[in-house]
């Protein structure tokens, strides 16, 4: 298996694990934001050190878009990663539903703003994603945190979910949103979330490439 295929497979497996763990945490949380916040954050830390040397552990289509617009990867690589990430997220959601089908929750990334003010929720998702992708740029792409980049990114994700989780579910990840939404049979909020999350990721990629690039 060549390097390109290994990286794509790592994105599939990593995203599958992240969505499975994150969705299961939401199902188990009963409204307690601490559980999904730390589950997602710790998952990212573990996955960063497990698959980072293989694919960079984007495990998030918005991060991939941020890398693409910043010239950090090719369009071919981005397309392959997007397919792998979305496939991994959808598979994870269906596997979780098969294991615990009767809870009434599917681990969706929704909050108090989602039903009545979905575009406000999308705007918050954009802001949170901008912060996350910016952290990834500075710590991982520009290597400002050395071997602690995975910890910095995981803690940042934890912080952002603690802040935004009650309002939007703090997805910050289109694959994390889409899989559970398909299983739940509710795609009504997916498009606004995609606009917000992808928009925040793209803006962060441009900002940290052309406004705050590495000085090295």
């Amino acid at each position: 298996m060549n390097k390109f295929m290994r990286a794509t497979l790592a994105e599939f497996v990593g995203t599958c694990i992240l969505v499975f763990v994150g969705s299961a945490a939401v199902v188990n949380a009963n409204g307690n934001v601490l559980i999904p916040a730390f589950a997602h954050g710790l998952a990212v830390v573990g996955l960063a050190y497990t698959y980072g040397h293989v694919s960079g552990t984007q495990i998030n289509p918005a991060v991939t878009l941020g890398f693409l617009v910043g010239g950090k990867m090719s369009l071919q690589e981005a397309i392959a990663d997007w397919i792998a990430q979305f496939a991994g997220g959808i598979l994870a959601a269906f596997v979780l539903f098969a294991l615990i089908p009767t809870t009434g929750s599917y681990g969706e990334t929704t909050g108090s703003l989602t039903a009545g003010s979905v575009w406000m929720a999308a705007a918050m998702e954009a802001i949170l994603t901008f912060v996350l992708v910016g952290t990834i740029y500075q710590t991982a792409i520009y290597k400002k945190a050395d071997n602690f980049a995975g910890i910095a990114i995981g803690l940042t994700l934890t912080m952002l979910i603690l802040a935004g989780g009650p309002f939007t579910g703090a997805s910050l990840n289109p694959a994390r949103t889409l899989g559970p939404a398909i299983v739940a049979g509710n795609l009504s909020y997916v498009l606004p979330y995609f606009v917000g999350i992808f928009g925040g990721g793209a803006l962060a990629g441009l900002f940290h490439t052309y406004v705050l690039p590495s000085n090295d």
Side-chain angles (χ1 to χ4, degrees):
M1 186 179 293
N2 62 35
K3 181 179 180 181
F4 179 82
M5 293 179 65
R6 289 199 304 271
T8 304
L9 179 60
E11 286 297 306
F12 170 79
V13 174
T15 307
C16 189
I17 293 170
L18 175 63
V19 173
F20 183 87
V21 170
S23 300
V26 170
V27 170
N28 187 48
N30 294 318
N32 182 352
V33 71
L34 289 172
I35 294 174
F38 281 99
H40 284 86
L42 291 172
V44 165
V45 172
L47 292 168
Y49 292 109
T50 302
Y51 298 112
H53 65 288
V54 180
S55 70
T57 318
Q58 302 155 57
I59 55 177
N60 182 336
V63 174
T64 300
L65 180 59
F67 286 3
L68 177 64
V69 300
K72 304 301 183 289
M73 64 190 310
S74 69
L75 180 59
Q76 179 187 16
E77 291 170 326
I79 291 172
D81 285 346
W82 283 328
I83 293 170
Q85 292 157 355
F86 278 116
I90 292 169
L91 176 63
F94 275 101
V95 170
L96 180 63
F97 175 66
L99 294 174
I100 47 173
T102 59
T103 64
S105 172
Y106 304 93
E108 305 100 305
T109 56
T110 57
S112 62
L113 290 176
T114 307
S117 304
V118 68
W119 287 104
M120 294 293 289
M124 178 168 283
E125 286 287 325
I127 293 168
L128 299 176
T129 307
F130 177 87
V131 176
L132 177 64
V133 176
T135 299
I136 295 170
Y137 253 84
Q138 294 296 334
T139 62
I141 295 296
Y142 298 149
K143 303 187 184 304
K144 298 302 182 182
D146 295 323
N147 290 330
F148 294 100
I151 296 173
I153 296 165
L155 288 177
T156 298
L157 180 59
T158 301
M159 171 190 74
L160 295 173
I161 294 175
L162 288 171
F167 305 107
T168 70
S171 171
L172 291 69
N173 185 333
R176 173 69 182 86
T177 288
L178 183 61
I182 290 174
V183 174
N186 179 15
L187 300 176
S188 62
Y189 61 95
V190 170
L191 178 59
Y193 270 50
F194 274 22
V195 172
I197 298 168
F198 275 120
L203 184 60
L206 294 171
F207 183 77
H208 288 277
T209 298
Y210 300 107
V211 181
L212 293 181
S214 174
N215 292 324
D216 294 341

